[in-house]
Amino acid sequence: MPVNIRGRHFLKLLDYTPAEIRYLLDTAKGFKQMKRNGVPHRYLEGKNIVLLFEKTSTRTRCAFEVAGRDLGMGVTYLDPGSSQMGKKESLADTARVLGRMFDGIEYRGFDQSIVDDLAKYAGVPVWNGLTDQFHPTQMLADLMTIEEKLGKLKGVNFTYMGDARNNTGNSLMVACAKMGLNFTACSPKELFPAPELVETAKAIAAENGCTITLTSDVEAGTRGADVIYTDIWVSMGEPDEVWAERIRLLQPYQVNAAAMANAAPGAIFMHCLPSFHDTKTTIGADIAKKFGINEMEVTDQVFESAQSVVFDEAENRMHTIKAVMYATLC
Ligand code: CP
Ligand code: NVA
């Protein structure tokens, strides 16, 4: 059956079928080829999009901006301080105003209900650029990168180490279940994904011939993995007070040489970025001073190793976001 997602929102991967995700990945592959070969693709000339960011960003913002311009669109960026949203104007009113001017709206911020509400009122496609619960555009880049590096998605053994109930952990579990990768969350029990989401993912995985496993055993969780993935231990929007507890819980789940050595031969290391793999950031330096650790979720050695594909992953944010905008606006 031909896939058509024109006019759809992109709020979370749970809303998309494997065939629709496959279509987005194939579309992204085509755009990457065109970009590499210098072939113009201004297919959305004359359209305009707005990017609403209530949290900071490097990759997501730049990916939407460059992808939007490559497609020929006008791009407007609104940061938290420069719009009326929330302070003087309700979300519903903001959505209805923006929907009258723009052809598509990207939102990065807090609760998933905010992006869901924007979608309800905007009347144009709304794309989730990260909420507290989900980060769906990141997933497309991750799947694209795995396929490029390992030549397949189905049957890949994927291990996520760290805070498995954050936006990235939740989304990776769903992405793997949809596309046939065996997903293992390797983290302390306190940071396992919510039971309802695990049950949903398990049901989807069963349909797609793959498995969902939760373990707190690092040796078992990393054994034979084709992909080891991690994310920062404290996410945007969480209070500084959680650092001490998070470090205590997650230090055993750091991606280091031992974890990579226990993985499959040819395993790759992935991270959505930004990453605390040294003390060259203000937060990294501050944590080093307070807690005496120079690396957090991944060692500098693994981050800089030949197994690390993090910058290919970052580049693929742009190609995949371009595919989402094209497919929903064309
Ligand atoms: N991975 C990711 O979303 O990066 P940014 O926070 O820089 O957008
Ligand atoms: N879990 C991280 C992802 C950043 C891309 C955060 O929400 O801060």
Side-chain angles (χ1 to χ4, degrees):
M1 216 169 47
V3 172
N4 181 355
I5 60 171
R6 188 175 303 149
R8 289 261 300 274
H9 303 297
F10 190 73
L11 305 177
K12 56 188 187 307
L13 236 42
L14 282 170
D15 304 335
Y16 277 71
T17 65
E20 289 166 344
I21 297 168
R22 166 53 47 210
Y23 164 70
L24 288 170
L25 293 174
D26 290 344
T27 304
K29 218 187 285 181
F31 278 129
K32 187 167 183 173
Q33 281 298 325
M34 285 190 247
K35 181 84 175 173
R36 289 279 159 94
N37 296 328
V39 179
H41 41 279
R42 299 175 67 83
Y43 302 143
L44 300 179
E45 190 99 54
K47 291 192 187 287
N48 290 287
I49 58 168
V50 62
L51 314 180
L52 293 180
F53 279 80
E54 296 201 291
K55 289 176 178 170
T56 52
S57 169
T58 297
R59 276 146 292 272
T60 309
R61 175 186 173 177
C62 295
F64 270 99
E65 290 214 15
V66 173
R69 285 197 209 103
D70 281 355
L71 288 167
M73 295 193 286
V75 181
T76 299
Y77 171 77
L78 292 181
D79 69 33
S82 64
S83 80
Q84 314 284 22
M85 188 166 92
K87 294 180 289 289
K88 288 167 72 179
E89 193 159 38
S90 72
L91 196 78
D93 291 356
T94 306
R96 283 178 289 184
V97 170
L98 295 176
R100 296 292 181 103
M101 299 184 190
F102 293 96
D103 299 285
I105 301 173
E106 182 274 359
Y107 173 80
R108 163 171 287 198
F110 296 92
D111 201 73
Q112 182 74 16
S113 62
I114 302 175
V115 79
D116 289 344
D117 273 355
L118 272 175
K120 198 158 125 196
Y121 294 108
V124 295
V126 171
W127 310 296
N128 177 1
L130 179 147
T131 59
D132 290 343
Q133 289 79 22
F134 292 110
H135 196 3
T137 60
Q138 179 71 49
M139 295 307 108
L140 295 177
D142 295 344
L143 291 168
M144 182 179 192
T145 309
I146 294 168
E147 199 162 53
E148 283 175 349
K149 300 296 171 188
L150 302 180
K152 61 175 185 176
L153 293 177
K154 276 203 182 307
V156 163
N157 293 316
F158 183 104
T159 295
Y160 176 83
M161 298 179 82
D163 180 2
R165 31 108 272 176
N166 74 9
N167 39 25
T168 306
N170 286 341
S171 304
L172 285 168
M173 181 169 66
V174 172
C176 287
K178 290 266 179 185
M179 299 311 282
L181 295 81
N182 299 310
F183 176 84
T184 299
C186 183
S187 71
K189 287 194 171 52
E190 294 89 329
L191 299 176
F192 279 171
E196 316 82 73
L197 188 63
V198 174
E199 285 319 304
T200 303
K202 279 188 175 170
I204 298 168
E207 281 170 24
N208 296 314
C210 58
T211 56
I212 303 290
T213 306
L214 309 184
T215 181
S216 297
D217 180 334
V218 172
E219 209 279 328
T222 55
R223 195 184 311 135
D226 300 305
V227 180
I228 296 193
Y229 193 122
T230 190
D231 184 13
I232 50 173
W233 289 346
V234 175
S235 287
M236 290 182 278
E238 294 195 291
D240 282 349
E241 293 73 61
V242 302
W243 271 110
E245 170 74 343
R246 218 45 79 66
I247 289 170
R248 184 184 70 74
L249 284 173
L250 286 174
Q251 251 182 329
Y253 299 89
Q254 180 190 62
V255 181
N256 52 29
M260 293 308 293
N262 197 34
I268 55 174
F269 167 71
M270 298 181 73
H271 193 311
C272 54
L273 304 181
S275 162
F276 296 121
H277 56 97
D278 57 27
T279 54
K280 294 177 191 157
T281 60
T282 46
I283 293 177
D286 193 42
I287 294 294
K289 209 155 85 193
K290 281 196 191 124
F291 299 96
I293 53 169
N294 292 335
E295 304 159 315
M296 286 191 254
E297 72 276 5
V298 57
T299 60
D300 198 48
Q301 185 193 11
V302 170
F303 187 90
E304 297 293 353
S305 70
Q307 287 169 287
S308 171
V309 299
V310 297
F311 296 109
D312 295 300
E313 198 182 346
E315 177 191 332
N316 285 339
R317 297 297 308 286
M318 203 276 288
H319 306 300
T320 45
I321 281 172
K322 193 180 282 178
V324 169
M325 291 196 289
Y326 170 75
T328 53
L329 292 183
C330 67

